[in-house]
Amino acid sequence: MRGVVIHAPGDIRVQDREDPRILEPTDAVIQLAATCICGSDLWPYRGIEEVSAAAPMGHEYVGTVTEIGADVRTLKPGDFVVGSFWASDNTCEICRAGYQSRCVQAYPMGAIGTQAQFARIPLADGTLVATPGQPDAGLLPSLMAASDVLGTGWFGAVAAQVGPGKTVAVVGDGAVGLLAVLAAHQLGAERIIAMSRHPKRQELARRFGATDIVTERGDDGVAVIKNMTNGLGAHSVVEAVGTQESMMQAVRSTRPGGHMGFVGVSHDVALPGLELFFAEINMLGGPAPVRRFLPELIELIWNRSIDPGQVFDLTLPLEDAAEGYRAMDERRAVKVLLTP
């Protein structure tokens, strides 16, 4: 099969890879209908994460089951499925508590690499969710978003305790941040503040339900949020970047007693203990347990209640993946959909 492999920072190649096969009786193999490039894929691409050897890329996927292991019970060949970017058994105590991304058997799909034509899915019964039927082409981008960025934005909003009557601030205008805006709107927030300097992303944020746009960053952004909230800060803040500046901006934008959800992959972030002590905020975050939300998100997408696929503003064939990486790196695209 053909698949995307990173060889060094900035060096993305589409090449022949070994066809996946069943290795464990709990595995399934799927033929991908779509895959995509994630903002977190840019960390190794930019050299911020070390690339020590050639490695497959991608962790988001939707497609059709072609083969199942002997112990797979809930799926059959021909099922169209959406899966989380973490494989999980969905039965252990951690999974049952709703944190499937920290399952005792958790396996990162990025290690398998789903920017490809086919993929092996470990722990298939616990990882994959079948759609009600075969989706039409128009639903593919939104179902694709559910595999990671929609589920991650949704978790950020849930972790921030977004709900009716609340003011929400979202730090980050990538796909996750934009879909946290969508989630906040679906969860009934009264006021949703999107922090963005990019006109195209501001427009999409408004389409998803943002009531206000703040262009300032860092402490300047915090000052604007405080000014908009009678000096108190937002009830709920979602951090969707993962840098020192974005984390501190999110902490400082949250009112005492408020909730902050952090879902940006952290890089070189150090939080000052004394400031956190006196901030007196609730914090929850980490790799999103997308599997917890997939049934609900698939239903909302299937019924066309939400259209998260709008975050994909560039679609390319898999063979042109290198251009997709360049487009996202240069912020010419919010998120790139790849068609195998």
Side-chain angles (χ1 to χ4, degrees), residues 85-173:
F85 65 99
W86 280 93
S88 61
D89 60 30
N90 207 34
T91 59
C92 76
E93 288 187 41
I94 304 301
C95 286
R96 294 201 306 272
Y99 293 92
Q100 291 91 334
S101 53
R102 298 291 83 208
C103 172
V104 296
Q105 297 191 74
Y107 192 87
M109 292 302 300
I112 287 174
T114 61
Q115 289 168 10
Q117 293 174 312
F118 293 85
R120 179 182 70 89
I121 312 299
L123 304 168
D125 280 330
T127 303
L128 300 174
V129 177
T131 59
Q134 291 296 316
D136 60 53
L139 284 180
L140 285 182
S142 287
L143 292 171
M144 183 70 258
S147 182
D148 180 353
V149 287
L150 173 60
T152 296
W154 201 277
F155 175 57
V158 169
Q161 296 284 300
V162 171
K166 292 189 175 181
T167 293
V168 182
V170 178
V171 180
D173 64 357

Side-chain angles (χ1 to χ4, degrees), residues 82-84 90 100 125-132 143 146-147 150-151 154 289-303 306:
V82 183
S84 167
N90 207 34
Q100 291 91 334
D125 280 330
T127 303
L128 300 174
V129 177
T131 59
L143 292 171
S147 182
L150 173 60
W154 201 277
V290 169
R291 179 60 181 82
R292 185 207 306 183
F293 306 109
L294 274 181
E296 178 184 2
L297 298 181
I298 289 172
E299 182 178 7
L300 287 169
I301 291 165
W302 201 263
N303 295 334
I306 59 174

Side-chain angles (χ1 to χ4, degrees), residues 163 165-169 189-193 229 233-237 255:
K166 292 189 175 181
T167 293
V168 182
E190 181 175 304
R191 190 176 193 184
I192 304 169
I193 305 165
T229 56
H235 300 95
S236 303
V237 177
R255 68 176 58 195

Side-chain angles (χ1 to χ4, degrees), residues 2 22 28 33 44 68 70 82 98 116 142 149 154 165 174 185 193-194 207-208 235 305 307 318 327 335:
R2 301 288 284 171
I22 301 293
I68 59 173
V82 183
S142 287
V149 287
W154 201 277
H185 179 69
I193 305 165
R207 209 180 307 160
F208 283 154
H235 300 95
S305 299
D307 185 15
L318 182 68
K335 192 166 178 67

Side-chain angles (χ1 to χ4, degrees), residues 46 170-174 193-199 201-202 213-226 240-241 243-250 252-253 331:
R46 291 169 172 164
V170 178
V171 180
D173 64 357
I193 305 165
M195 310 194 83
S196 173
R197 293 178 170 179
H198 193 288
R201 296 173 190 228
Q202 293 171 2
I213 302 292
V214 169
T215 59
E216 290 82 358
R217 289 182 179 173
D219 287 341
D220 290 338
V222 173
V224 175
I225 296 295
K226 291 288 186 71
V241 183
T243 64
Q244 182 72 26
E245 181 183 64
S246 64
M247 284 289 285
M248 294 314 304
Q249 181 176 331
R252 292 167 180 165
S253 296
R331 288 178 70 85

Side-chain angles (χ1 to χ4, degrees), residues 1 4-6 17-18 20 23 40-41 44 49 53-61 84-87 105-116 118-122:
M1 70 172 184
V4 175
V5 176
I6 188 169
R17 289 180 50 201
E18 184 179 354
L23 299 179
S40 62
D41 293 329
E49 285 182 4
M57 293 295 287
H59 51 265
E60 299 157 282
Y61 55 99
S84 167
F85 65 99
W86 280 93
Q105 297 191 74
Y107 192 87
M109 292 302 300
I112 287 174
T114 61
Q115 289 168 10
F118 293 85
R120 179 182 70 89
I121 312 299

